[in-house]
Amino acid sequence: MNNNDRLTRLRYALDIKDSDMVTIFSMGGVTLTQEDVVQLLKKLPKEDPTQENQFVQTLTDQELERFLNGLIISQRGKKEGAGEPRLELNPENANNILLKKVKIALSLTTDDILGILATAGVEISNSELSAVLRKEGHRNYKPCGDRYIRNFLKGLTFEYRS
């Protein structure tokens, strides 16, 4: 799963319009036009069957994290006295960061996330979820797999679009 997939699924799950995407990106510190956003979400035609999930414009790790920071600001407001957040997203921890930042933005509790995953048909324990939400480098940290993030976003879709 690449960053464009993550953004596309999150946008669909939360029913975010293109103009709102531009605003969220700008709150996170990225200047994009509405056309740029469309290019990030638009897939290339499949001419080669080995080509998977190729998008017109690739979303970088930094842009995805800035979008997630903008989502937090749009939902919860800017934190007083807070400086620029440290960017820590990389391909190995992208799912973990996405889960943490969506949890913060939507003010979800651990029980809410477990319920969202259950709605999508995935049962995990509280300790498994806790391991995924830990800071990278912690001894109990576990990377979040694509399957969990797909099902989390699918469960969000059921919650926010029904």
Side-chain angles (χ1 to χ4, degrees):
M1 187 178 216
N2 64 33
N3 290 338
N4 294 73
D5 285 327
R6 291 179 186 100
L7 182 68
T8 303
R9 290 169 190 255
L10 182 62
R11 175 189 182 271
Y12 180 77
L14 299 178
D15 198 18
I16 303 172
K17 296 179 181 20
D18 290 344
S19 58
D20 295 336
M21 296 275 291
V22 171
T23 305
I24 292 170
F25 269 113
S26 69
M27 287 179 177
V30 178
T31 305
L32 294 176
T33 65
Q34 199 161 337
E35 181 60 32
D36 292 334
V37 170
V38 170
Q39 298 300 314
L40 289 171
L41 303 172
K42 190 176 186 181
K43 286 188 176 185
L44 291 171
K46 275 194 174 181
E47 296 166 357
D48 182 9
T50 61
Q51 242 184 352
E52 272 189 37
N53 301 329
Q54 296 297 321
F55 289 83
V56 175
Q57 187 176 333
T58 303
L59 183 68
T60 65
D61 292 337
Q62 182 180 7
E63 289 170 335
L64 177 60
E65 188 163 13
R66 289 187 178 276
F67 174 81
L68 294 171
N69 290 339
L71 182 64
I72 292 171
I73 292 169
S74 75
Q75 297 299 310
R76 304 204 46 179
K78 189 145 178 94
K79 195 173 183 180
E80 289 297 318
E84 182 71 22
R86 196 179 95 221
L87 300 176
E88 54 191 357
L89 192 137
N90 60 55
E92 290 78 39
N93 70 2
N95 292 336
N96 296 67
I97 300 289
L98 174 75
L99 187 63
K100 284 182 208 177
K101 294 201 177 207
V102 170
K103 178 183 187 265
I104 292 167
L106 302 178
S107 302
L108 299 173
T109 63
T110 302
D111 291 334
D112 294 335
I113 293 174
L114 292 172
I116 288 168
L117 286 168
T119 303
V122 175
E123 296 291 329
I124 66 169
S125 69
N126 198 358
S127 60
E128 282 178 289
L129 180 60
S130 175
V132 167
L133 293 173
R134 292 192 185 280
K135 186 173 182 142
E136 193 172 12
H138 188 279
R139 65 184 179 94
N140 292 331
Y141 170 83
K142 297 279 187 225
C144 181
D146 287 344
R147 181 179 143 238
Y148 286 119
I149 208 67
R150 274 190 200 104
N151 284 303
F152 173 70
L153 293 172
K154 181 179 174 184
L156 271 181
T157 302
F158 292 142
E159 294 284 325
Y160 284 87
R161 290 187 70 98
S162 58

